[in-house]
Amino acid sequence: MNPHLERLHPYPFEKLRQLFAGVTPNPEYVPISLGIGEPKHPTPAFIQKALTQSMTGLANYPSTHGGDPLRTSIAGWLERRYGVPALDPNTMVLPVNGSREALFAIAQCVIDPRAGSNNGANGSALVMCPNPFYQIYEGAAYLAGAEPYFVNSVPARNFAPDYDSVPDEVWARVQLLYLCSPGNPTGAVLTLDDWRELFELSDRHGFVIAADECYSEIWFGSTPPLGALEAAHQLGRSAGQRPYANLVVFSSLSKRSNVPGMRSGFVAGDPDVLKKFLLYRTYSGGAMSPPVQAASCVAWNDEAHVQENRNLYKEKFSLITPLLKQVMDVELPDAGFYLWADVRASGLSDTEFARGLYAEYNVTVLPGSYLARDAHGSNPGRNRIRMALVAGVDEGLEAANRIVQFCNDLKSS
C-alpha cells in the first residue's frame, strides 16, 4: 500500500462525528446543520432541463479535453467576469469534474518529490497551504510525496495568510502554493498587493500557484472579489509567450449555480501547465460526461440566476450576522457563505461550544480547530466556529436564534 496514505488526517466531519458520539440532541428541536458547506438553494430549472435533454450523449465516450462549446463558454465567462483578454479555449481552459478532484490532481501533476526544490535548496518539496484550509490541499501534498507548509491566517490581515512570515529558505523549497480567495472558512479576499507579492515570489522560486476560487460569485458589497487572472492581467502578466506564467485557477458551478451534485468545474491559466495537466488527466480518467457538459454550457452563459442566488445570500447574511454579533465576535465576511466566529466570550472552547450547542439546541456547527493545524506555535482555528449559511432564510434565522439562546443560557449560568 502507498505509505503516504498513513499520513492523511481524519476529515473534519469524521472528527465531528467522534465529538458528537454519545450525545443525544434535544428532541424538542428539529435538527439544523450549519456544518457542511453544501449549497441548499434550488437548482435552476433551465440547468436541469439542459441536463435531461442531453441524455443521448451518454452513448459516447467523452473527451478529457472537453467539447469546444463548453471550453468556449468557460473562456467567455472568464473574459466577462474578470475583464481579461480573450483566452484560447484550446490551450488555456480545461473542464474538470468539480474543483475538488482537480485541486487534488494538480499536485500529483506538478510535484517532483525527487527535486526537493526548484533551485537546489536542501530539503523535501513543499506545498504551501493557508491555515485554516481546505483539507484536500494537505492530502494532495502528502500523496504527491511532498510536505505541506502552513501559513497562518491572522485577524490583523482580515484573515488573509501572513506570507511575510515565511522565511526565504522555505520559499526556495515550495513547488506548489494553494490559496483560496475568497477563503474557506474566513471569507477573506486577496488584494492586488497580495497578488503582486505572490507573483514576484513565484517568478523568483519557480513554484506554481493553484488559486481556488469556488466562492467567487457570492459577495456582499458592490464590487466582486478580485480574481487571480484579473490580478495577473492588471499586473501585466496576461500576454507574451507564456501568459499567466505558473498560475492556474480553479472554479466550479457548485456554489455559483447550486449544482453540487453535477460535479462541474474548470481549470484555466498557464497553457504550459495545462498541457501537462491534460496529459495527466488523460491517464487518470478525468473526463466530464456529455450531458453534464451541455448543462454546464447553459449555466456558464447565464448570469441572471447567479444574481438571484447572490441576493438570497445577501438577505440571509444581513439578517443573521447582526443577531449573532449580540453574543459572539463575528463580522460579515468579504465573500463566501461562511461566518467565522470567535466564541471565547462564551467561556467554551470551539469543540465544547459545538458539542453543547448540538446537545441542547440540535444545531450543528464546525469547530474551527478541525479546519486548521497547529503551526508556528498556534492553531488559528482554535476558539472559532464555522457556520455555513447554506439553507433557506427561515432555517438560518431559526438556527441563529437558537445559538443566541444557547449563549445567553451560558451567561446566565
Side-chain angles (χ1 to χ4, degrees), residues 45-55 290-292 294-299:
F46 76 95
I47 298 177
Q48 298 182 48
K49 182 178 179 180
L51 182 68
T52 58
Q53 289 183 338
S54 304
M55 289 301 174
V292 171
S296 300
C297 283
V298 300

Side-chain angles (χ1 to χ4, degrees), residues 18 27 47 106 143 168 189-190 194 202 237 262 270 279-280 326 361 369 374 379 404:
Q18 295 173 8
I47 298 177
I106 193 67
L143 290 173
D168 286 343
V189 175
L190 268 62
D194 293 329
S202 174
R237 302 176 65 88
M262 201 162 79
D270 184 340
L279 174 63
Y280 173 87
Q326 300 174 28
Y361 285 95
S369 58
D374 292 338
N379 181 316
V404 170

Side-chain angles (χ1 to χ4, degrees), residues 168-211:
D168 286 343
E169 59 269 23
V170 170
W171 284 116
R173 294 166 53 198
V174 175
Q175 292 189 17
L176 177 65
L177 182 146
Y178 283 113
L179 58 83
C180 187
S181 178
N184 171 13
T186 67
V189 175
L190 268 62
T191 67
L192 190 62
D193 286 339
D194 293 329
W195 282 112
R196 180 182 289 106
E197 177 186 10
L198 291 174
F199 290 145
E200 290 173 354
L201 288 162
S202 174
D203 289 343
R204 191 183 316 155
H205 299 292
F207 56 80
V208 171
I209 298 174

Side-chain angles (χ1 to χ4, degrees), residues 140-161:
Y142 283 135
L143 290 173
E147 295 287 334
Y149 183 92
F150 298 107
V151 183
N152 289 346
S153 299
V154 292
R157 288 176 52 85
N158 191 30
F159 299 106

Side-chain angles (χ1 to χ4, degrees), residues 43-44 46-48 50-51 70 73-74 77 80 252-254 256-259 262 264 292-306:
T43 299
F46 76 95
I47 298 177
Q48 298 182 48
L51 182 68
L70 177 55
S73 295
I74 293 168
W77 179 78
R80 295 189 301 273
S252 165
L253 288 172
S254 295
R256 174 187 182 271
S257 299
N258 296 306
V259 288
M262 201 162 79
S264 178
V292 171
Q293 290 194 46
S296 300
C297 283
V298 300
W300 289 117
N301 287 331
D302 181 80
E303 287 299 319
H305 77 286
V306 183

Side-chain angles (χ1 to χ4, degrees), residues 234-287:
Q234 292 181 14
L235 295 171
R237 302 176 65 88
S238 60
Q241 292 186 334
R242 190 179 176 186
Y244 305 108
N246 278 334
L247 172 65
V248 284
V249 173
F250 299 74
S251 194
S252 165
L253 288 172
S254 295
K255 282 80 173 174
R256 174 187 182 271
S257 299
N258 296 306
V259 288
M262 201 162 79
R263 311 313 304 136
S264 178
F266 68 80
V267 185
D270 184 340
D272 288 4
V273 176
L274 287 187
K275 182 178 180 180
K276 296 291 188 181
F277 196 36
L278 175 59
L279 174 63
Y280 173 87
R281 293 178 61 77
T282 300
Y283 279 82
S284 66

